[in-house]
């Protein structure tokens, strides 16, 4: 048995004396005739956050969430129930509710869970909340505030937040798989408001990943977030109205990869494709992007925010090629959708918590580097927009229309970056936006570790990335006609 | 502030109905948690806790897809050591877990810093009466009945129009529960509520012409829920009307927001006049109290005590009595949206909005529905759905993706998509020319169709 699984058992089963026999018994009770698959998902999650606002670290909070989710699957039907008590009785109650989707009961199935896999963890199991003393966390927030305030006299407001979570999970499946994972996650955010001649503009920055809090102190990362937030706010103080209409758009490296997440990623999740509701349905093997584009979803990068040693159904995370040289290669799958589509799971079965059903979700989605120098790409544009920072995005997977909102962008004229423009939403059509990619840079960057993806009311941490990229024609939603 | 009155107040729980056994347990837990905070040296404390249960089913192509049973509880406590505070939450109501939850909050308060504005609401502002707002209609719903309703809803959408090619299914969900807020001033406020929803989502067209839309109903009392058939039919109509969408043309036009998206304009107003945006000076409506932000005809008000409504509450998240009030009248901003903390920061009194606004309503400027508004607009756009988050609360800059209809000569000419609408919220507020009487009462922010005189449309 792996060390991680042993640690997970100590947190999840030992406090109430659960043993493997209880798990086998519960799964056996669900696995009566008519039920194809069942799983139990145990979770013990602790989280903490500290916030500085108006010069004071005036709030902090700590929380514990724990429970077990029980799922029974019969064909395309799923029954689900959960309990915030991890006891033998609570398990059996949830099991009987979950299995109610299948009408007839009968002889109980025999399940014996075991763990015979060795998967090397992608991150440390250490509790990030214990990696800094509480007084040092407060001191760090104060220090970062000072860095931001001293960076420029026009900075009038600074907000800094620090959050950490330590999540222990176990999965027991009717096919006998028993697996566990311990996932740290930290995040820091700095946002500032700068004011000049009565005009106020904001800037924000941050980062994190599956690290301990020391990550922010190392290499002065936290200080860099402060400088970056101030720089953005000052740029925005100079920003003019953004143009409106279709034009050439160059996206900077890193976080602008949110384009891929919205335009491509969601449309390639297995559930939508099984149901035929995605604009990408039935297009595997077809050309959906320029041949310069190769896009992957990679949950296997050590310590990344979107990475998972195993997904929430016990599958090892994978590096899945979604688009290779412009050709659509594959979907992201969870157990249920992979089985129903006759495909292999890809380690993308994720859930917000024990109280939610797993679905196919992205991990770290990015485009591989191309061959162009980023400067060459900008120089190639006669008249267009160069967008380097973004807020959130959203997609309608059926029509394929997606948006993402720029928070830092510049007008490009005759190959030169000119003045900054105010934030504008960019809108496009997922299935054809990548066909308009005419140049891909050699400067692949992943984002700094701040992404949260929402789907059907469930939030999960994700990553994105891309090199600089030129798109010949995307609608820019400014006000200047 | 002491909490000597704890015991007597707990015995006389402040609730429209007598507490049942589970609610008595909530009251006992609240007492226990507040006692422990006091024993740890906290000078004040407040706790919110509750429990709920529910079921939701989703049916697709006439077959059950998911059946989910929910049973939730959670508790959150904030403790004050004079002006330092700490918070903690847990889903475990066992004695040991509650103790460590209180201790964790107290521990955090050792490290946070003095903030003179921190603390409970002033005792004289706390609600003294808790009227029954008629929010609790638990539904003894069996799984088979839920499946039947969801199936009928989806089926009527599928039967409605042959252009419907696919479905995401019909859904039914029902939840009910109780929430208690208690603090060391001795306040105890218990409220029960229920929520039942039916929804449907289908797809029309094929290939790159596919369109999806949805419709739903949601209510406190299931006897008032629209029939599954009417929800299904509306879903189908809303979906097929999007077929054949083109890109909108770039330019400046009047824009009508349908009721379902019109409420979002009120949310942007609330966010700009909320205490936390104001004291951080992170709002485009700083110091705008008393300023004329809208035309004379515009009134925007809160109706917290509406019976059976989605956003009703007789006290806010810190126990302060809510009351009906005009936020905007005659186009003038009368007041902000404040909690005790933000009010103290701004040197004024709370408006009873800890946790948000209650049934915020924009009154119709005339008795007019969407069709007549389209006629009077002549040429422009109707927006039926918005996507994305392109709103800057500091500057008021607004740019969002949209779906809708192009209007010519007072009639819908064709559906449009892949365009943005943009402007500055200050201009857009002043640009609201007409508010319709076609209210969407399913939501806690109530608006009819809204016509904004001019916005920038970016498309082809």
């Amino acid at each position: 048995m792996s060390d991680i699984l042993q640690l997970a058992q100590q947190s999840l089963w030992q406090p109430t004396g659960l043993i493997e026999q209880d798990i086998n018994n519960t799964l056996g009770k669900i696995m009566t005739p008519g039920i194809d698959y069942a799983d139990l998902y145990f979770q013990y999650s602790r989280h903490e956050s500290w916030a500085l606002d108006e010069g004071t670290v005036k709030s902090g909070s700590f929380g514990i969430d724990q429970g077990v989710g029980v799922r029974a699957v019969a064909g395309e039907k799923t029954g689900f129930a959960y309990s915030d008590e991890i006891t033998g009785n609570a398990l059996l109650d949830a099991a009987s509710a979950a299995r109610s989707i299948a009408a007839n009961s009968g002889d109980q199935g025999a399940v014996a869970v075991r763990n015979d896999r060795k998967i090397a963890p992608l991150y440390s199991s250490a509790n990030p909340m214990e990696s800094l003393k509480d007084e040092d966390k407060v001191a760090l927030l104060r220090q970062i505030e000072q860095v931001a305030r001293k960076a420029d006299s026009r900075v009038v407001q600074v907000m800094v937040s620090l959050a950490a979570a330590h999540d222990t999970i176990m999965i027991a499946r009717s096919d006998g798989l028993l697996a566990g994972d311990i996932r740290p996650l930290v995040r820091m955010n700095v946002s500032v408001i700068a004011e000049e001649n009565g005009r106020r503009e904001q800037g924000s920055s941050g980062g994190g990943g599956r690290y301990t809090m020391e990550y922010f102190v190392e290499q002065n990362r936290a200080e860099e977030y402060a400088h970056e937030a101030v720089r953005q706010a000052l740029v925005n103080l100079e920003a003019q109205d953004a143009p409106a209409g279709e034009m050439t758009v160059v996206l900077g490296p890193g976080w602008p990869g949110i384009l891929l997440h919205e335009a491509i990623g969601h449309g390639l999740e297995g559930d939508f494709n099984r149901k035929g509701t995605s604009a990408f349905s039935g297009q595997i093997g077809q050309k959906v992007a320029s041949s310069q584009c190769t896009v992957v979803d990679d949950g296997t990068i050590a310590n990344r925010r979107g990475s998972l040693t195993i997904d929430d159904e016990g599958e090892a995370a994978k590096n899945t090629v979604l688009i290779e040289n412009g050709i659509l290669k594959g979907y992201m799958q969870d157990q249920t959708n992979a089985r129903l589509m006759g495909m292999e799971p890809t380690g993308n079965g994720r859930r917000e918590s024990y109280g939610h059903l797993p679905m196919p979700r992205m991990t770290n989605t990015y485009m591989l580097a191309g061959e162009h120098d980023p400067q060459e790409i900008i120089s190639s544009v006669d008249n267009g927009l160069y967008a380097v920072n973004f807020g959130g995005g959203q997609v309608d997977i059926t029509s394929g229309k997606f948006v993402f909102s720029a928070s830092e962008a510049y007008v490009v004229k005759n190959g030169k970056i000119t003045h900054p423009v105010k934030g504008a939403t960019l809108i496009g059509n997922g299935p054809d936006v990548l066909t308009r990619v005419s140049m891909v840079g050699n400067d692949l960057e992943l984002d700094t570790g701040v992404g949260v993806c929402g789907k059907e009311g469930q939030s999960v941490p994700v990553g994105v990335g891309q090199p600089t990229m030129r798109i010949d024609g995307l609608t820019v939603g400014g006000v200047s006609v | 502030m002491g909490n000597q009155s704890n015991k007597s107040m707990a015995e006389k729980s402040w609730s429209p109905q007598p507490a049942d056994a589970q609610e008595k347990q909530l009251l006992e837990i609240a007492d226990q948690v507040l006692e422990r905070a006091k024993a740890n040296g906290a000078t004040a404390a407040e706790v919110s806790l509750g429990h709920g249960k529910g079921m939701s089913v989703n049916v697709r192509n006439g077959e059950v897809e998911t059946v989910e049973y929910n049973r939730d509880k959670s508790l959150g406590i904030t403790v004050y050591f004079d002006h330092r505070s700490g918070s903690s939450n847990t889903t475990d109501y066992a004695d040991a877990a509650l103790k460590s939850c209180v201790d964790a909050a107290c521990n955090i308060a050792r490290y946070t810093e003095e903030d003179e504005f921190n603390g409970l609401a002033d005792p004289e502002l706390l609600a003294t009466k808790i009227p029954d707002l008629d929010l609790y209609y638990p539904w003894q719903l069996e799984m088979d009945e839920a499946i039947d309703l969801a199936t009928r809803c989806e089926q009527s959408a599928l039967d409605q129009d042959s252009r419907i090619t696919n479905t995401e299914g019909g859904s039914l969900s029902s939840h009910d529960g109780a929430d208690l807020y208690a603090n060391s001033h001795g306040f105890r406020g218990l409220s029960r509520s229920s929520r039942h929803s039916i929804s449907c989502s289908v797809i029309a067209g094929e290939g790159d012409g596919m369109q999806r839309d949805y419709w739903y109903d949601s209510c406190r009392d299931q006897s008032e829920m629209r029939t599954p058939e009417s929800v299904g039919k509306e879903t189908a109509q809303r979906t097929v009307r999007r077929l054949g969408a083109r890109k909108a043309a770039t330019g400046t036009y009047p824009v009508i927001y349908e009721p379902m998206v019109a409420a979002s304009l009120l949310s942007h107003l609330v966010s700009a006049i909320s205490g936390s945006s104001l004291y951080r000076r992170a709002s485009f409506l700083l110091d705008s109290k008393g300023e004329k932000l809208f035309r004379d005809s515009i009134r925007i008000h809160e109706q917290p005590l509406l019976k059976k409504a989605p956003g009703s509450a007789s006290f806010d998240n810190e126990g302060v009595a809510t009351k009906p009030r005009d936020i905007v009248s005659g186009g003038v901003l009368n007041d902000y949206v404040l909690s005790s903390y933000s009010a103290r920061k701004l040197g004024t009194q709370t408006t009873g909005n800890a946790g948000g606004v209650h049934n915020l309503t924009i009154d119709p400027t005339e008795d007019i529905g969407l069709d007549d508004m389209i006629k009077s607009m002549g040429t422009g756009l109707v927006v039926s759905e918005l996507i994305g988050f392109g709103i800057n609360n500091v500057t008021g800059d607004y740019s969002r993706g949209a779906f809708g209809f192009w209007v010519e000569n007072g009639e819908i000419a064709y559906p449009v998509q892949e365009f943005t609408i943009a402007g500055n919220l200050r201009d857009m507020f002043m640009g609201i020319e007409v508010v319709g009487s076609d209210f969407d009462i399913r939501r806690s922010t109530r608006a009819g169709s809204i016509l904004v005189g001019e916005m920038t449309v970016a498309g082809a």
Side-chain angles (χ1 to χ4, degrees):
Chain A
M1 187 183 288
S2 72
D3 296 342
I4 295 286
L5 190 62
Q6 221 157 18
L7 286 170
Q9 276 192 8
Q10 277 167 20
S11 299
L12 293 164
W13 291 1
Q14 270 182 16
T16 57
L18 274 185
I19 54 169
E20 214 162 86
Q21 188 49 46
D22 298 310
I23 308 310
N24 291 337
N25 189 26
T26 306
L27 285 169
K29 281 221 158 48
I30 306 174
M31 292 304 290
T32 49
I35 300 286
D36 302 322
Y37 170 86
D39 62 16
L40 314 179
Y41 182 87
F42 299 88
Q43 185 175 33
Y44 176 68
S45 177
R46 282 170 292 176
H47 48 91
E48 172 187 273
S49 67
W50 300 85
L52 179 148
D53 177 11
E54 296 262 295
T56 313
V57 181
K58 64 189 172 199
S59 62
S61 69
F62 174 78
I64 296 179
D65 290 306
Q66 62 174 359
V68 56
V70 179
R71 172 169 66 148
V73 181
E76 297 196 22
K77 289 185 198 153
T78 298
F80 178 62
Y82 58 86
S83 166
D84 44 27
E85 285 162 29
I86 303 179
T87 63
N89 284 340
L91 267 180
L92 290 175
D93 282 351
S96 101
R99 80 155 308 290
S100 64
I101 43 153
N104 60 330
S105 53
D107 287 349
Q108 168 164 346
V111 176
V113 293
R114 68 202 174 272
N115 179 272
D116 40 22
R117 288 191 316 189
K118 275 271 179 232
I119 298 175
L122 297 173
Y123 27 78
S124 151
S125 61
N127 181 347
M129 284 164 266
E130 290 165 1
S131 59
L132 282 185
K133 287 189 199 143
D134 288 341
E135 51 263 50
D136 294 340
K137 296 169 194 167
V138 171
L140 177 62
L141 293 179
R142 293 210 68 104
Q143 178 205 339
I144 298 314
E145 189 217 8
Q146 286 308 310
V147 170
R149 286 199 185 271
K150 283 181 184 148
D152 195 285
S153 60
R154 289 168 285 181
V155 172
V156 293
Q157 184 66 259
V158 180
M159 283 166 272
V160 193
S161 67
L162 181 62
H166 195 229
D167 198 9
T168 301
I169 61 146
M170 272 176 77
I171 300 133
R173 304 197 320 208
S174 57
D175 63 2
L177 180 91
L178 181 67
D181 196 9
I182 299 178
R183 302 166 178 167
L185 191 66
V186 294
R187 176 170 167 172
M188 185 166 199
N189 271 77
V190 183
S191 67
V192 305
I193 295 177
E195 184 169 345
E196 187 174 40
N197 301 327
R199 179 172 174 182
R200 281 183 317 280
E201 293 285 350
Q202 61 189 346
S204 66
S205 178
R210 300 201 181 277
Y211 297 99
T212 62
M213 285 190 183
E214 282 150 336
Y215 177 77
F216 300 118
V217 184
E218 291 161 8
Q219 298 174 33
N220 291 325
R221 284 190 184 93
E223 292 196 17
E224 270 177 40
Y225 302 149
H227 286 293
E228 172 60 16
V230 172
R231 187 195 63 76
Q232 276 182 33
L234 298 181
V235 166
N236 284 329
L237 276 178
E238 310 293 320
Q240 303 172 18
D241 281 346
E246 195 172 305
M247 63 195 69
T248 299
V249 173
V250 175
L251 298 176
W255 179 243
I258 186 172
L259 164 92
L260 303 169
H261 178 99
E262 303 298 350
I264 307 293
H266 280 296
L268 298 181
E269 289 168 340
D271 45 356
F272 301 127
N273 287 283
R274 172 175 64 83
K275 296 173 186 174
T277 58
S278 164
F280 287 96
S281 300
Q283 296 208 33
I284 285 194
Q286 297 195 17
K287 193 153 193 299
V288 295
S290 111
S291 56
Q292 297 182 50
C293 298
T294 294
V295 181
V296 301
D297 182 83
D298 186 357
T300 68
I301 315 168
N303 304 113
R304 294 297 307 178
R305 182 173 167 85
S307 296
L308 296 170
T309 303
I310 56 169
D311 74 2
D312 292 324
E313 300 182 304
E315 293 297 319
K318 291 189 176 58
N319 181 0
T320 304
V321 177
L322 304 176
I323 294 171
E324 188 171 32
N325 301 324
I327 308 292
L328 181 58
K329 286 289 172 179
Y331 300 129
M332 289 166 279
Q333 294 288 10
D334 63 358
Q335 293 283 335
T336 302
N337 289 288
R339 184 171 47 82
L340 294 170
M341 291 177 82
M343 293 179 170
E344 287 299 311
T346 55
N348 290 93
R350 303 185 65 185
R351 61 204 295 175
E352 181 179 302
S353 78
Y354 67 89
H356 298 86
L357 275 169
M359 289 184 278
R361 301 297 296 265
M362 284 173 260
T363 60
N364 306 296
T365 313
Y366 59 93
M367 181 182 286
L368 303 192
E371 44 192 41
H372 294 279
D373 179 73
Q375 194 50 54
E376 176 199 352
I377 297 178
I378 293 164
S379 302
S380 74
V381 177
D382 289 336
N383 184 17
L385 190 80
Y386 175 51
V388 293
N389 270 302
F390 284 86
Q394 197 176 346
V395 62
D396 174 332
I397 52 112
T398 300
S399 69
K401 306 300 174 267
F402 69 92
V403 295
F404 58 137
S405 297
S407 54
E408 181 186 353
Y410 303 83
V411 163
V412 181
K413 290 258 189 240
N414 302 321
K416 296 262 186 309
I417 293 171
T418 64
H419 60 276
V421 291
K422 287 183 176 184
T425 289
L426 276 54
I427 188 161
N429 182 36
D432 74 26
V433 65
L434 291 191
T435 64
R436 303 183 189 194
V437 172
S438 56
M439 295 170 98
V440 176
N442 56 16
D443 55 341
L444 168 64
E445 270 180 37
L446 300 179
D447 75 286
T448 56
V450 293
V452 178
C453 170
K455 174 177 171 184
E456 291 171 29
Q458 293 194 41
S459 295
V460 297
V462 295
V464 297
Q466 67 171 35
T468 298
M469 170 166 55
R470 174 181 157 142
I471 301 170
D472 295 342
L474 196 59
T475 299
V476 177
V479 292
S480 178
V481 179
Chain B
M1 187 59 57
N3 59 354
Q4 302 86 338
S5 52
N6 245 354
K7 283 292 176 207
S8 61
M9 288 302 180
E11 281 152 21
K12 167 180 104 172
S13 85
W14 291 357
S15 159
Q17 303 95 358
D20 65 18
Q22 265 188 313
E23 290 162 353
K24 282 190 179 126
Q25 193 206 358
L26 293 181
L27 287 159
E28 277 164 23
I29 290 172
D31 280 348
Q32 185 187 332
V33 161
L34 292 174
E35 286 288 342
R36 181 156 184 98
K38 192 183 175 194
N40 282 358
T43 47
E46 58 190 327
V47 60
S48 296
L49 67 165
H51 59 73
K53 63 174 175 18
M55 177 180 26
S56 57
V57 302
N58 189 61
V59 170
R60 181 167 179 266
N61 281 321
E63 298 285 338
V64 175
E65 192 169 58
T66 56
V67 175
E68 296 186 45
Y69 294 92
N70 319 110
R71 190 170 284 275
D72 293 292
K73 57 189 197 305
S74 69
L75 175 145
I77 182 168
T78 299
V79 298
Y80 300 93
F81 288 72
D82 295 318
H83 295 296
R84 284 178 295 117
S85 77
S87 302
S88 172
N89 60 72
T90 181
T91 53
D92 188 349
Y93 285 2
D95 283 353
L98 292 172
K99 272 184 191 155
S100 61
C101 180
V102 177
D103 294 351
C106 294
N107 182 58
I108 283 170
R110 290 171 52 204
Y111 297 101
T112 54
E113 299 168 314
E114 286 281 333
D115 180 347
E116 59 175 311
F117 306 108
N118 251 338
L120 302 180
D122 299 338
E124 62 276 14
L125 299 177
L126 298 174
T128 50
K129 282 191 295 245
I130 298 187
D132 187 352
L133 298 177
D134 225 7
L135 308 176
Y136 186 60
Y137 289 83
W139 186 0
Q140 303 310 322
L141 181 65
E142 296 295 326
M143 185 177 78
D144 290 343
E145 186 186 357
I147 291 170
D148 177 58
L149 292 167
T151 307
R152 280 163 49 197
C153 185
E154 184 198 36
Q155 195 57 49
S156 56
L158 297 176
D159 290 346
Q160 175 70 20
D161 196 298
S162 60
R163 290 169 291 175
I164 306 283
T165 49
N166 200 345
T167 170
E168 290 191 333
S171 299
L172 193 102
S173 72
S174 170
H175 294 93
D176 58 74
D179 293 294
L180 174 69
Y181 170 79
N183 67 28
S184 56
H185 285 328
F187 179 85
R188 302 288 182 275
L190 190 59
S191 53
R192 292 179 192 169
S193 64
S194 55
R195 195 99 194 113
H196 316 292
S197 304
I198 186 164
S199 66
C200 186
S201 174
V202 296
I203 285 149
E206 282 170 356
D208 58 10
M210 281 199 302
Q211 294 289 345
R212 183 199 73 103
D213 212 329
Y214 72 102
W215 194 243
Y216 74 102
D217 193 23
S218 180
C219 49
R220 300 284 190 183
D221 175 357
Q222 83 278 6
S223 72
E224 294 175 3
M225 194 155 84
R226 288 182 55 188
T227 64
E229 286 75 16
S230 74
V231 171
K233 204 170 148 182
E234 182 82 31
T235 305
Q237 286 166 353
R238 287 180 64 85
T239 308
V240 296
R241 71 177 183 157
R242 295 170 68 144
L243 284 172
R246 313 178 199 171
K247 234 174 142 163
T250 301
T252 55
Y253 309 104
V255 171
I256 294 174
Y257 286 71
E258 285 190 357
M260 219 153 108
V261 287
S264 66
L265 293 173
L266 298 193
S267 310
H268 305 327
L269 171 70
V270 168
S271 144
I273 60 170
S274 285
S276 60
S277 302
L278 296 171
Y279 74 70
R280 291 183 179 122
R281 303 193 65 77
S283 162
F284 65 96
L285 293 180
L286 290 181
D287 311 315
S288 56
K289 187 167 162 177
E291 205 180 312
K292 190 138 189 304
L293 297 177
F294 296 85
R295 295 177 188 216
D296 294 340
S297 53
I298 302 298
R299 176 184 184 222
I300 299 171
H301 57 117
E302 268 194 287
Q303 307 187 80
L305 305 176
L306 277 185
K307 298 241 166 171
K308 286 190 169 179
S312 297
S314 56
F315 56 91
D316 75 356
N317 285 3
E318 45 188 11
V320 172
T322 58
K323 49 180 186 291
R325 64 173 187 132
D326 280 16
I327 291 180
V328 171
S329 57
V332 174
L333 180 68
N334 294 325
D335 206 354
Y336 299 130
V337 171
L338 307 175
S339 64
S340 293
Y341 178 81
S342 59
R344 286 178 198 133
K345 291 278 287 187
L346 295 166
T348 178
Q349 202 172 72
T350 176
T351 56
N353 293 111
V357 288
H358 303 100
N359 300 319
L360 189 71
T361 305
I362 183 164
D363 276 358
T365 53
E366 54 192 281
D367 186 10
I368 188 171
L370 181 61
D371 291 345
D372 287 333
M373 209 183 281
I374 288 171
K375 277 199 188 80
S376 73
M377 177 171 71
T379 299
L381 272 168
V382 174
V383 169
S384 60
E385 188 178 345
L386 288 166
I387 58 172
F389 312 95
I391 295 119
N392 185 329
N393 202 46
V394 175
T395 60
D397 292 323
Y398 178 103
S399 170
R400 299 189 72 184
F403 296 82
F405 304 90
W406 178 248
V407 174
E408 260 169 25
N409 305 320
E411 285 187 14
I412 287 179
Y414 49 83
V416 284
Q417 63 181 3
E418 205 177 336
F419 64 99
T420 58
I421 53 173
N424 186 279
L425 282 165
R426 257 187 185 274
D427 302 333
M428 288 162 61
F429 289 158
M430 195 54 91
I432 294 180
E433 293 175 4
V434 189
V435 179
S437 46
D438 48 344
F439 274 116
D440 187 348
I441 61 161
R442 299 166 302 182
R443 307 163 66 104
S444 58
T445 302
R446 302 178 160 219
S449 300
I450 287 180
L451 170 65
V452 179
E454 188 179 276
M455 293 187 70
T456 303
V457 174

